[in-house]
Amino acid sequence: MRDQNDKMEKMKRLSHISSDGRAQMVDVSAKPVSKRRAVATGKIRLQRETLDLIRKDQIAKGNVFATARIAGIQAAKQTANLIPLCHVLPLGEVKIDIVTSNKGAQVKCAAQTVGQTGVEMEALVGVTAALLTIYDMCKAVDRQMQIYDVCLIEKTKRPVAVVYDRQSRKPQRS
């Protein structure tokens, strides 16, 4: 009985699980609008020869990092289509940064919106898609690549000021 009570208590805390245990989309309509930002990172291990080919723009499929940046941005914008219970968000900015080292590359995705729910899934999807794109574009020359350490490193929420237009008497965000 205690185990069942513990499970029920845990399910109460999982906002995507209804009281009868079914998956549900969380209702965020009553939440205040705020500025949301999330940053995720991940790494890909590449052979030195592969890194040299990327630097010299000699990968047959094209410019690896430019393509990975575009893929990450596009994927972040499609998060709600990929992750079933995510809300559709108007992303104000998605930025993909790629830094190389002797062992491979680190990708960072920063996503930002003004809304009622966070953008951590968008940042995670963006970084993962960018990493997968690097993998796809280099798989013909590097069979030892590894994607690892994908994680959320930052999540912030800041209130948005509301300014009233005296003529129309309608609230406007600033």
Side-chain angles (χ1 to χ4, degrees), residues 12-141:
K12 284 180 187 175
R13 288 182 269 152
L14 297 173
S15 59
H16 284 84
I17 306 295
S18 68
S19 59
D20 61 358
R22 292 184 298 158
Q24 68 179 7
M25 189 168 178
V26 175
D27 180 4
V28 297
S29 59
K31 285 182 152 187
V33 172
S34 54
K35 184 175 182 179
R36 313 275 186 143
R37 176 179 157 78
V39 180
T41 63
K43 297 176 183 175
I44 184 165
R45 190 167 288 119
L46 301 160
Q47 293 181 41
R48 285 182 192 246
E49 296 82 9
T50 307
L51 282 167
D52 288 340
L53 290 171
I54 292 170
R55 284 186 189 113
K56 295 174 185 173
D57 201 17
Q58 293 180 341
I59 296 292
K61 289 187 171 186
N63 186 314
V64 175
F65 292 158
T67 306
R69 281 185 196 94
I70 293 167
I73 292 166
Q74 284 182 320
K77 291 170 27 176
Q78 295 299 315
T79 299
N81 293 325
L82 299 169
I83 310 295
L85 301 176
C86 282
H87 294 85
V88 176
L89 294 177
L91 294 173
E93 181 181 39
V94 177
K95 186 175 180 187
I96 303 286
D97 292 316
I98 303 171
V99 177
T100 59
S101 69
N102 290 337
K103 295 180 181 179
Q106 179 173 351
V107 177
K108 179 168 81 170
C109 177
Q112 192 166 276
T113 190
V114 174
Q116 295 167 296
T117 188
V119 289
E120 56 270 31
M121 294 308 299
E122 287 73 9
L124 287 163
V125 167
V127 78
T128 303
L131 289 163
L132 288 169
T133 300
I134 295 168
Y135 189 100
D136 176 59
M137 294 185 76
C138 298
K139 67 186 177 201
V141 297

